[in-house]
Amino acid sequence: MAATGYPVLILKEGTQRTYGREALRANILAARVLAEMLKSSLGPRGLDKMLVDAFGDITVTNDGATIVKEMEIQHPAAKLLVEVAKAQDAEVGDGTTSVVVLAGALLEKAEKLLDENLHPTIIIEGYTKAMEEALRLVDEAAVPVEVEDDSVLRRIAETTLASKFVGTGPERDKIISMVIDAIRTVAERRPDGGYEVDLDYVKIEKKKGGSLLDSKLVRGIVLDKEVVHPAMPKRVENAKILVLDAPLEVQKPELTTKIRVTDIEKLESFLEEETRMLRDMVEKIAATGANVVITQKGIDEVAQHFLAKKGILAVRRVKRSDIEKVAKATGAKIVTSLRDLKPEYLGYAELVEERKVGEDKMVFIEGAKNPKSVTILLRGANDMLLDEAERNIKDALHGLRNILREPKIVGGGGAVEVELALKLKEFARTVGGKQQLAIEAYAEALETIPTVLAESAGMDALEALLKLRSLHSQGYKFAGVNVLEGKIEEDMTKINVYEPVLVKKQVIKSASEAAISILKIDDVIAAAPPKKKEKKGKTGEEEEEEGGGSKFEF
């Protein structure tokens, strides 16, 4: 109220505002609920989630990034964790479930400190110091590995896939071999001795039919297209490939035009001129020596006929990403206009062939000039299985890329988290003051990961954690939870369970920053939702049914 007795309206009508500790607690609760939902998906014994969208499409997965992307999350604080999971997926491609679970644990521990009247600023400062120390300790604990050895890459891939669908079936070894071959093909050595891997050049093509064991690695590009004309050759050896980003069609005028024809001969001459233009285009292509044409745009039926007469194999309407892969692999230059066409712009491949895969036809480009592009051709019984297998393979590819970028590993199975927790508790005592409490809380939050892994293996979580603490205090820095056998191991690396240090550092950074950003919020001002227009002649229930769809709301 103002001094005159009149109300002063600051916010628009219908706006909701929560502030202070109430806003902070609401945000923490939302983040914790999301973490709780993902917790059961962590590790090799993690369970799957079935997500049904508004159209009734089903996704079954235990991949953290996919789960949070598919859920229609409403709460803004929970959305922050979704963004963190997406960033983790984009940066290192693995550890998405871990990052959400750890962020939720950090906020849960922070809530207890808030109950003890610790100011959020002190908690944030403590968490920041703990994160910096944890990153230093991870580097200290990491062990360098020889990435030239395929057995090292195999173990990394096995650990990454252990919690995935394809990591438990008979197809595991074949999938791992394909992933390692693909990475080796596209990896390029840096001057400093490390490797740079561009995963854009590993294409995953899915085709329903057969089983995952029928999947194979093609050292080249597979296009999910067929040859455009039945009279064209279906197999071309020593292919000279023209990669086009232009249509082989008569250009239509930008303005709407009408042509009035008064004489049938003029109509015939008009059509003949169109045919001549298309013939000239094909003659120009043939003059360069090209015997394969791959274009992003369309090809006119008349042009198809002339190409077939010249014995040129043509594929049209190819995706831009595939066009770029073909150009990279064959050494071709993407031509945007036939006026600029030169013989030196053509790419080369030993073989271009149309083959039948399942019920469909696909074009295979093999033996490329610069074989830095490969295709993993996935087969499977249904779309749901193929989608999950693709997500699993992408995780494995990212895991191997990470180890090639920074060839250091740490023990898996929650080993590094327990080691960090032990060292951070010692570090907290050197810091002292109220920040000590925040650093100790951070250490306890890290122990959530091994606790969840122990629970998913059917072990007594508290007993497992106490045993791990005891082993780490005795100097077993890679002691962790052997989830598959339901016991504690003194050294996880001896049973070939380890993770790239790059992934672990990113998990710590992302989870810490997410928790800190939520702790910084003390005021939530939500605008009023837009008013829905009432539809005459319908009850409220009918309107709700018409909207349809399912939402996950907090």
Side-chain angles (χ1 to χ4, degrees):
M1 295 288 285
T4 56
Y6 293 109
V8 178
L9 297 175
I10 306 284
L11 301 171
K12 206 173 179 181
E13 187 183 349
T15 303
Q16 290 184 329
R17 182 187 176 210
T18 50
Y19 54 91
R21 290 296 166 97
E22 188 187 342
L24 194 49
R25 286 183 199 286
N27 288 341
I28 289 172
L29 177 63
R32 282 179 58 192
V33 168
L34 182 59
E36 201 67 37
M37 291 170 78
L38 260 68
K39 201 180 275 187
S40 60
S41 298
L42 188 69
R45 290 275 184 256
L47 303 175
D48 290 355
K49 308 289 180 193
M50 179 182 279
L51 305 164
V52 185
D53 69 11
F55 300 102
D57 294 332
I58 298 167
T59 304
V60 177
T61 183
N62 69 351
D63 179 63
T66 307
I67 294 168
V68 295
K69 280 176 193 171
E70 294 292 328
M71 288 197 298
E72 292 185 22
I73 288 170
Q74 296 294 312
H75 197 284
K79 280 182 178 177
L80 279 175
L81 285 197
V82 173
E83 292 305 316
V84 167
K86 286 180 181 176
Q88 177 78 13
D89 192 42
E91 190 65 27
V92 292
D94 195 15
T96 48
T97 309
S98 300
V99 79
V100 177
V101 170
L102 183 54
L106 287 168
L107 289 167
E108 184 185 346
K109 301 297 178 188
E111 192 171 23
K112 290 177 182 174
L113 295 176
L114 291 169
D115 290 339
E116 294 171 15
N117 286 323
L118 214 65
H119 196 277
T121 305
I122 293 168
I123 300 172
I124 289 166
E125 286 172 1
Y127 274 13
T128 305
K129 281 185 180 176
M131 177 186 74
E132 290 166 357
E133 182 65 11
L135 291 171
R136 190 188 68 77
L137 290 168
V138 168
D139 268 330
E140 202 175 85
V143 176
V145 289
E146 184 51 64
V147 290
E148 302 298 333
D149 185 358
D150 274 4
S151 64
V152 171
L153 298 188
R154 179 167 287 274
R155 287 172 204 148
I156 292 289
E158 283 172 358
T159 307
T160 306
L161 293 176
S163 62
K164 311 292 181 189
F165 171 77
V166 299
T168 53
E171 63 283 333
R172 185 187 76 161
D173 288 342
K174 180 164 189 176
I175 294 286
I176 288 171
S177 296
M178 285 197 306
V179 167
I180 291 170
D181 284 352
I183 281 286
R184 287 277 188 225
T185 305
V186 301
E188 293 181 0
R189 189 177 275 279
R190 294 196 307 259
D192 62 1
Y195 285 91
E196 196 54 57
V197 180
D198 188 348
L199 292 183
D200 284 343
Y201 295 114
V202 179
K203 186 180 182 219
I204 299 174
E205 194 66 66
K206 299 172 289 186
K207 190 55 69 177
K208 204 158 54 173
S211 75
L212 279 170
L213 287 167
D214 298 322
S215 302
K216 61 180 179 180
L217 179 74
V218 179
R219 295 184 184 280
I221 309 295
V222 178
L223 302 174
D224 192 6
K225 298 284 177 184
E226 56 184 274
V227 175
V228 294
H229 196 279
M232 286 178 177
K234 300 294 186 286
R235 178 186 173 96
V236 175
E237 293 181 8
N238 296 322
K240 291 177 182 177
I241 302 167
L242 169 63
V243 181
L244 265 180
D245 183 14
L248 290 177
E249 297 169 331
V250 174
Q251 207 167 359
K252 292 178 177 63
E254 290 181 12
L255 300 171
T256 305
T257 54
K258 285 184 181 179
I259 298 172
R260 193 183 296 277
V261 179
T262 54
D263 185 352
I264 194 72
E265 288 179 6
K266 286 181 181 177
L267 178 61
E268 284 178 4
S269 65
F270 181 81
L271 295 172
E272 280 173 13
E273 179 63 20
E274 198 172 72
T275 304
R276 187 192 63 75
M277 289 169 72
L278 291 167
R279 189 192 292 115
D280 288 350
M281 285 182 189
V282 173
E283 291 289 349
K284 198 165 189 178
I285 290 168
T288 63
N291 52 15
V292 175
V293 174
I294 295 168
T295 179
Q296 189 181 345
K297 304 287 174 38
I299 303 176
D300 191 279
E301 287 180 7
V302 177
Q304 291 175 26
H305 166 72
F306 288 128
L307 285 166
K309 282 181 78 175
K310 292 282 184 185
I312 296 172
L313 183 155
V315 184
R316 65 176 171 179
R317 309 246 179 252
V318 178
K319 288 187 294 188
R320 178 73 195 185
S321 57
D322 288 351
I323 285 281
E324 288 171 358
K325 288 184 179 75
V326 170
K328 165 96 173 176
T330 61
K333 183 176 179 182
I334 298 172
V335 178
T336 54
S337 172
L338 288 176
R339 292 192 200 97
D340 306 330
L341 189 55
K342 293 178 184 175
E344 56 264 32
Y345 291 169
L346 302 182
Y348 174 80
E350 288 173 13
L351 177 67
V352 177
E353 185 179 19
E354 181 187 84
R355 296 175 198 160
K356 195 164 185 184
V357 180
E359 295 296 311
D360 301 317
K361 292 173 182 174
M362 303 177 87
V363 174
F364 288 69
I365 301 168
E366 295 178 337
K369 182 179 179 181
N370 173 33
K372 284 292 177 190
S373 288
V374 294
T375 304
I376 295 173
L377 181 59
L378 276 182
R379 306 299 310 281
N382 55 55
D383 290 329
M384 197 167 68
L385 184 147
L386 284 170
D387 289 344
E388 184 65 357
E390 181 185 20
R391 285 190 285 268
N392 298 169
I393 286 170
K394 281 182 176 175
D395 281 353
L397 287 167
H398 278 93
L400 296 183
R401 183 195 68 175
N402 296 332
I403 198 70
L404 287 169
R405 278 165 68 181
E406 191 171 344
K408 290 181 182 177
I409 53 112
V410 287
V416 75
E417 284 83 1
V418 180
E419 180 69 13
L420 290 176
L422 183 74
K423 296 283 177 67
L424 283 174
K425 282 172 185 173
E426 292 171 8
F427 172 68
R429 288 193 284 274
T430 65
V431 173
K434 289 182 180 178
Q435 284 183 21
Q436 178 181 342
L437 298 172
I439 296 168
E440 285 172 353
Y442 190 102
E444 287 170 19
L446 285 168
E447 292 177 335
T448 305
I449 301 291
T451 304
V452 172
L453 290 173
E455 282 173 359
S456 68
M459 300 164 67
D460 184 308
L462 182 60
E463 189 182 316
L465 185 58
L466 291 172
K467 192 171 181 183
L468 281 172
R469 283 176 179 171
S470 171
L471 285 169
H472 279 266
S473 62
Q474 292 169 41
Y476 294 96
K477 70 174 181 177
F478 288 151
V481 182
N482 182 343
V483 181
L484 298 175
E485 294 183 22
K487 63 179 185 180
I488 301 296
E489 295 283 349
E490 290 182 352
D491 190 346
M492 295 301 288
T493 58
K494 286 184 179 172
I495 59 163
N496 299 330
V497 178
Y498 41 69
E499 299 178 69
V501 73
L502 205 65
V503 174
K504 202 50 71 180
K505 280 158 73 173
Q506 190 63 38
V507 166
I508 291 166
K509 281 190 278 192
S510 298
S512 304
E513 286 166 7
I516 287 166
S517 65
I518 288 172
L519 286 170
K520 279 183 176 178
I521 298 165
D522 78 330
D523 217 328
V524 179
I525 301 161
K531 290 179 181 177
K532 291 181 181 177
K533 291 181 180 178
E534 292 183 11
K535 294 181 182 177
K536 292 178 182 178
K538 289 188 179 180
T539 63
E541 285 179 17
E542 285 175 322
E543 283 182 21
E544 191 174 328
E545 282 175 16
E546 189 169 288
S550 58
K551 286 188 178 180
F552 298 84
E553 291 192 8
F554 295 134

